Amino acid sequence: MSQPSRTIRHLRGAIVGAVCAITGISAHAGAAGVLPAPDALAVTAAACAGLGAAVAARPTRLATPLILIVWLAAGQGLAHVLLLVLADHAAGHPQLLSPAMLVLHTIATLATAAALIVVEPALVTLLTAVVRMLRAVLAPPDPATFATRPGRALTRDVRPILRAIAPLDARGPPPRAA
């Protein structure tokens, strides 16, 4: 398997897991009016991360739009059921899925699927550009590009000069004067 294909699979899985966790929690909080307890949020996030890992393990040829929508819908359902079971206010829910929650989960699923389908072909190009930019910024400068005078490159080692200015040794502080 090629590196771009593997990278796309991992990105797809990360996006599906993250979106399922974020939109599942926000749709639940938006429709129910309360944010669940931190332990319920942590379990839901971990389960959605597991779902994202499962999506990343699937071959790219199986990432059709319909399968992507199924994965996202399954993640939304998983997040909703986990939050419903783990939340303290589960007894206050008259039904498993209110119409407002169903609408929010559906909108999140379809919007994420559409965005992934549109953006996924450009991800490798985008990531390549980002990595090249980071390498250019973080790479050490080439000494030949620094000029002491116009047209003359710096060719000598300046470390001894820097050590003479600010010695880098293991000597401790001066002894106390008695």
Side-chain angles (χ1 to χ4, degrees), residues 72-89:
L72 287 164
Q76 293 290 315
L78 174 71
H80 178 79
V81 169
L82 280 173
L83 289 172
L84 185 64
V85 169
L86 297 172
D88 294 333
H89 62 281

Side-chain angles (χ1 to χ4, degrees), residues 73-160:
Q76 293 290 315
L78 174 71
H80 178 79
V81 169
L82 280 173
L83 289 172
L84 185 64
V85 169
L86 297 172
D88 294 333
H89 62 281
H93 277 288
Q95 53 190 333
L96 184 63
L97 197 63
S98 70
M101 281 190 196
L102 182 63
V103 167
L104 290 173
H105 285 303
T106 303
I107 289 171
T109 299
L110 295 177
T112 304
L116 271 174
I117 291 165
V118 170
V119 172
E120 196 171 277
L123 282 178
V124 172
T125 306
L126 177 68
L127 285 176
T128 303
V130 168
V131 168
R132 282 185 182 161
M133 185 173 43
L134 286 174
R135 281 185 179 168
V137 170
L138 299 176
D142 183 20
T145 60
F146 291 109
T148 54
R149 285 185 249 151
R152 184 172 173 185
L154 178 64
T155 56
R156 67 180 196 183
D157 189 11
V158 295
R159 287 178 288 186

Side-chain angles (χ1 to χ4, degrees), residues 9-10 12-14 16-17 49-59 68 71-72:
R9 274 193 8 235
H10 290 289
R12 184 184 309 118
V16 167
L51 176 83
V55 170
R58 305 296 297 170
L68 187 60
W71 278 109
L72 287 164

